[in-house]
Amino acid sequence: MANGDNREEFELRMDGLARSDALQTCSVEEGEEGEEGEATSAVPGGKLYRLVAVSFGFLCILQAALNISLRLGLSNTEARCKNLTEEIDNLKRINFAITHNMTQEIEATRYNLTREKDELKRNLTDFEARYKVLTEERDELKRKLTDLVNRLQQGWVYFSGSVYYISSINKNWEESRNDCLQRGADLMIINSKEEQDFAEQVKDRMWIGLTDRETEGMWKWVDGTPLTTSYWASGEPNSFESREEDCVELKYYGTVESWNDRPCDEQILWVCEKKVLP
Ligand code: 2F8
Ligand code: CA
């Protein structure tokens, strides 16, 4: 019984399918035939056409939307690009200004530093030269001080910037002078009334550094300076009246006018002078 029912159902379906194929075949044939007829809209080709048209329209709309979107995006991008370009130009100007200012400041600083360096170099050179001079002056003063101390220890007497040595033996004028020279001094030169007052306190007769041996009557000190202020004893000099008297001695004790010219080869004491202060 069941098998019989199934069979009937199967046959009915097969029959339906057969009718369907027949109907489809018919529709196709009719469509092909109706390309030029009124039956076109009723066939599946019309639907395809509409579908294509709708699709095309949709694509057009899509394209338009896309174009608008791209156009908007492009405008936006162009605006951003313009802003960026302006910002870049602005930054370039700022960078140029900063670089320019920095370059000027660096150049100014370099110029000032170079000037300061040159000035420091000059100062250093001056300082070194001054230091050398001061060092030499100090050493010279040390030597002079040592020399003065030694002379004082050897019996030299200090007066007004000079030290004096009075011999204990007799010599002629030339030998007396040589002795003074060997002691780093020379025969006494009297430059002032005070020095004359100092000299006249010595009770012994002593050679001093005054002579006219080169030219008679032209009295000169041993340092080459001519005689300007003199303290001749009364009647002196009198070389021309008696014999040759070309050298000068301190003759009279306690008298300002104490000088006498006498023969240079006579032997008496002598007095040396050494300046220790300028
Ligand atoms: O020794 C020479 C000396 O002789 C005399 O002094 C002692 C003379 N004095 C007088 O004539 C006053 C000096 O002039 C002379 O130099
Ligand atoms: Ca004389």
Side-chain angles (χ1 to χ4, degrees):
M1 185 71 178
N3 288 336
D5 292 340
N6 290 337
R7 184 180 181 84
E8 281 179 13
E9 188 180 348
F10 178 74
E11 285 175 354
L12 281 172
R13 287 188 176 182
M14 289 303 292
D15 186 41
L17 285 173
R19 281 199 303 272
S20 175
D21 288 344
L23 186 62
Q24 196 171 358
T25 304
C26 178
S27 298
V28 169
E29 288 171 355
E30 283 177 355
E32 289 173 351
E33 288 174 358
E35 283 179 357
E36 296 173 359
E38 68 277 357
T40 304
S41 61
V43 294
K47 288 181 182 177
L48 183 63
Y49 177 78
R50 281 197 304 274
L51 181 63
V52 167
V54 167
S55 298
F56 181 73
F58 178 74
L59 284 174
C60 286
I61 292 169
L62 192 63
Q63 180 67 48
L66 190 60
N67 285 352
I68 291 168
S69 174
L70 285 172
R71 175 65 61 187
L72 289 173
L74 184 61
S75 298
N76 198 20
T77 303
E78 284 175 347
R80 290 176 60 196
C81 186
K82 188 182 172 194
N83 288 341
L84 280 173
T85 303
E86 287 174 357
E87 280 184 34
I88 288 170
D89 290 343
N90 203 24
L91 286 172
K92 278 182 178 176
R93 279 192 294 275
I94 293 170
N95 181 51
F96 175 78
I98 291 173
T99 306
H100 183 67
N101 288 343
M102 284 180 68
T103 303
Q104 281 189 328
E105 282 184 26
I106 288 170
E107 285 302 318
T109 305
R110 181 181 291 138
Y111 176 74
N112 289 335
L113 284 174
T114 303
R115 287 188 61 187
E116 284 180 24
K117 185 186 75 177
D118 292 343
E119 191 174 346
L120 284 172
K121 271 186 179 177
R122 283 193 297 274
N123 288 344
L124 180 62
T125 303
D126 292 346
F127 175 79
E128 286 174 341
R130 182 78 185 134
Y131 180 83
K132 186 166 178 261
V133 169
L134 286 173
T135 302
E136 288 171 356
E137 285 180 1
R138 181 202 62 190
D139 294 343
E140 178 65 14
L141 283 173
K142 274 186 177 178
R143 280 192 296 274
K144 285 183 175 178
L145 180 62
T146 303
D147 181 69
L148 175 60
V149 169
N150 289 337
R151 289 181 191 279
L152 293 174
Q153 288 174 346
Q154 292 165 13
W156 291 62
V157 177
Y158 176 83
F159 175 77
S160 189
S162 291
V163 286
Y164 301 86
Y165 171 79
I166 298 172
S167 71
S168 55
I169 59 173
N170 296 334
K171 286 183 182 291
N172 66 33
W173 190 91
E174 187 70 32
E175 292 169 344
S176 299
R177 187 176 184 211
N178 286 338
D179 178 80
C180 290
L181 293 172
Q182 285 177 3
R183 295 174 189 274
D186 208 335
L187 286 170
M188 182 181 186
I189 296 173
I190 298 175
N191 303 106
S192 65
K193 171 70 165 47
E194 290 72 25
E195 196 173 11
Q196 171 62 21
D197 291 342
F198 167 74
E200 74 193 34
Q201 297 173 45
V202 181
K203 294 177 179 173
D204 296 303
R205 298 169 68 160
M206 307 178 298
W207 290 124
I208 61 172
L210 186 62
T211 178
D212 69 344
R213 290 194 304 177
E214 287 183 9
T215 307
E216 182 66 29
M218 296 282 291
W219 296 98
K220 279 202 320 187
W221 294 106
V222 285
D223 65 354
T225 57
L227 177 65
T228 52
T229 304
S230 60
Y231 302 93
W232 295 110
S234 177
E236 306 297 341
N238 56 3
S239 174
F240 53 90
E241 294 174 2
S242 56
R243 48 188 177 145
E244 190 87 7
E245 296 183 335
D246 292 339
C247 296
V248 179
E249 65 171 344
L250 294 175
K251 183 176 181 183
Y252 299 104
Y253 159 70
T255 303
V256 176
E257 285 76 26
S258 64
W259 297 0
N260 172 49
D261 60 337
R262 66 182 294 173
C264 297
D265 57 353
E266 293 183 356
Q267 297 197 352
I268 56 172
L269 300 180
W270 68 94
V271 55
C272 303
E273 177 182 4
K274 167 78 178 175
K275 275 202 164 302
V276 292
L277 293 179

